[in-house]
Amino acid sequence: MELTRTADLWWKTAVVYCLDVETFSDSNGDGHGDFRGLAQRIDYLDRLGVTCLWLMPFYPSPDRDDGYDITDFYGVDPRLGTLGDFVEFLRTARDRGIRVIADLVVNHTSDRHPWFQSARSSRESPYRDWYVWQDEPPPGADKGIVFPDKEKSIWTYDERAGQYYLHRFYKHQPDLNVANPAVRDEIARVMGFWLELGLSGFRVDGVPFLLETQGSPDAELLPDPHDYLADLRAFLSRRCGDAVLLGEVNLPYPDTMRFFGNAEGVGDELTMCFDFVGMQRMYLALARSDAGPLAAALRERPQPPRDGHWGTFVRNHDELTLDKLTESERKEVFDAFGPAPEMQLYGRGLRRRVPTMFGGDPRRIRLVYSLLYSLPGTPVLFYGEEIGMAEDLRAEGRLAVRTPMQWAPIRNGGFSTADPRQLPGPIPNGHYGPKQVNVSAQERDPDSLLSWIRRLIERYRECPELAWGRYTVLDTGVPSVLAHRCDIDGTVIALHNLADSDAEPRLSLDPGSVLTDLLHDEHTTVPDNGTVSLRLGPYGCRWLRLSQPAG
């Protein structure tokens, strides 16, 4: 495919890298990562092959929910720097050809936000109806709790306000009333502000919660909330034509598709949605050493609108949720990858990173990331995955996977020169500590995980078929092997063996065509009968370009 054809829809072939500024690189030794430290690491991200950075919340915050409890949507938390530092970082990233998107967390605020403080002070406050209030909690107040280990209701009584307020997350995060036109206008202003500073879009946090109108007065009379999402997308496109909305929508496929919108097949709501179903089925397939669950998910997954795309991932910044599996399926994954209670969270997910889930087996770890970069969709990498960082279960909840980046085998892993007690989280020790797992050592090792991830990213960028092509799951005759092909102006076939034994899958292809291995220097010609046998070692993977012989 011609680059001029694909460049406008840059997100379809992007390499997205998610990081928390606070845990990435500390420039001044105060124990907190900052924008100046991040700017100094841009060349590392450029060498990795990153084309888009996704920043977790960096706004002013009491930090009771790792920055997701925001007190000012127009600022930078002083611990992380200034707006000037942010702009300098953004300019540096742009100079290296890296776009930046940021978390848009507008379904709630911190209870310390000036809006809420005003709202609770008086029923006459201009901000009173920026939140959702009731004299008594409506029926079902104990349903839909996001953090059941911390909260017992989604309604909390505020003594000063004299009413109950809605919070689907923590009680210190009151929900904004997005049914209020003034709130909607303010959200648009927030987006416009950051777009003017140079962002290329937003990852929208908890999209279904953002559109939820439960508890609002006369909720049944309100306009369709999807119309509001379409309005946000239209505003985004007017302000920055190639900006994106990447949505966190953890719902079954048919329900998720609604969030793409449908403007005559183009899509007028979210640009991309994360594929939570495919991720969960992947782990079930890995637990069983049977490609069936993942193959079924790929066959079931609907085609997004013409300009839309799925976001693929194997790990994100939250617990590794398994809530779309059945109870018995979830138990299979728990037993395989996180059997101890302290490894699990909310009864629905794992607070572990990939290397420890697979017992440090480099074959399985490399297999998983080969899946990430070859499955149809835009791959999203969470910081530290490229070097095999592990979780630290001493940290609370989700923070176990948000430990400081490990740059070198020195104090604090090279993240900061501060006293370890000042850091935002513990530094893992033992086999996965920075003495054994760090960027410095792996950059010089051609056989390291970092080198493998770089190679996968290079091949992914060389194969637009993986992002743009129409994919088909192939029958190989081997239950442990997932094979799929992507076709558009060319064909790429990827095979992955999920079992700890050799496999010899067979494919039916055009006789005489040539398969060129993109990960190894090998070529295979399809026999005259059209059936080719391919060898895969235990947890082996191959990416093959299909072409016709010269002449």
Side-chain angles (χ1 to χ4, degrees), residues 316-395:
N316 64 11
H317 60 295
D318 290 332
E319 76 277 7
L320 192 126
T321 185
L322 303 168
D323 64 330
K324 296 299 176 287
L325 301 180
T326 66
E327 187 173 347
S328 61
E329 290 171 341
R330 190 158 48 247
K331 186 178 185 304
E332 286 184 67
V333 179
F334 280 165
D335 290 346
F337 303 131
E342 63 270 19
M343 300 172 180
Q344 303 167 15
L345 198 59
Y346 310 132
R348 64 176 185 241
L350 291 167
R351 59 192 205 108
R352 308 194 78 193
R353 281 183 177 254
V354 169
T356 53
M357 285 195 287
F358 295 115
D361 187 336
R363 302 169 303 169
R364 302 185 80 182
I365 296 168
R366 293 179 184 224
L367 171 76
V368 165
Y369 290 109
S370 177
L371 282 167
L372 172 64
Y373 285 101
S374 62
L375 289 176
T378 299
V380 180
L381 197 70
F382 186 47
Y383 79 92
E385 284 192 275
E386 71 275 19
I387 59 171
M389 277 176 55
E391 74 283 352
D392 193 321
L393 297 178
R394 294 174 296 174

Side-chain angles (χ1 to χ4, degrees), residues 96-307:
R96 304 303 195 273
I98 298 176
R99 298 173 185 266
V100 181
I101 65 174
D103 262 332
L104 183 68
V105 189
V106 289
N107 40 31
H108 56 247
T109 69
S110 165
D111 60 1
R112 301 185 193 178
H113 196 293
W115 299 343
F116 188 72
Q117 290 299 311
S118 174
R120 67 192 290 260
S121 67
S122 167
R123 297 197 183 205
E124 305 306 316
S125 165
Y127 294 102
R128 183 72 170 200
D129 61 355
W130 283 43
Y131 297 87
V132 183
W133 302 92
Q134 293 280 5
D135 291 328
E136 295 293 336
D142 59 343
K143 306 297 183 184
I145 300 171
V146 176
F147 303 118
D149 63 327
K150 299 293 184 182
E151 305 292 347
K152 303 303 178 187
S153 172
I154 59 174
W155 292 89
T156 291
Y157 187 73
D158 185 86
E159 292 284 352
R160 188 176 180 190
Q163 284 185 302
Y164 289 83
Y165 64 88
L166 177 66
H167 59 88
R168 294 180 182 85
F169 291 77
Y170 295 110
K171 63 171 63 74
H172 60 79
Q173 293 170 324
D175 280 18
L176 282 166
N177 179 14
V178 294
N180 183 338
V183 173
R184 295 185 174 196
D185 288 346
E186 188 66 23
I187 292 172
R189 275 191 286 273
V190 169
M191 293 171 59
F193 176 81
W194 293 106
L195 290 171
E196 283 298 313
L197 290 183
L199 287 187
S200 293
F202 303 91
R203 176 263 186 184
V204 189
D205 185 55
V207 181
F209 296 106
L210 175 64
L211 301 189
E212 179 60 64
T213 56
Q214 173 192 340
S216 300
D218 302 318
E220 68 280 359
L221 302 178
L222 294 173
D224 184 344
H226 282 274
D227 290 342
Y228 171 52
L229 192 55
D231 287 344
L232 279 184
R233 174 71 179 277
F235 173 84
L236 183 83
S237 297
R238 289 195 302 272
R239 292 296 179 92
C240 184
D242 63 351
V244 300
L245 292 177
L246 170 59
E248 180 189 31
V249 184
N250 181 15
L251 294 172
Y253 284 136
D255 298 323
T256 299
M257 286 299 294
R258 296 182 58 216
F259 290 85
F260 280 113
N262 186 21
E264 299 180 355
V266 177
D268 60 348
E269 295 183 33
L270 295 175
T271 318
M272 293 190 287
C273 290
F274 284 111
D275 184 3
F276 280 92
V277 173
M279 178 275 293
Q280 296 179 49
R281 298 272 191 88
M282 180 193 74
Y283 280 104
L284 180 61
L286 291 164
R288 293 177 174 176
S289 297
D290 180 352
L294 179 53
L298 289 172
R299 291 188 174 105
E300 293 167 14
R301 193 175 78 172
Q303 185 73 14
R306 188 188 69 196
D307 292 347

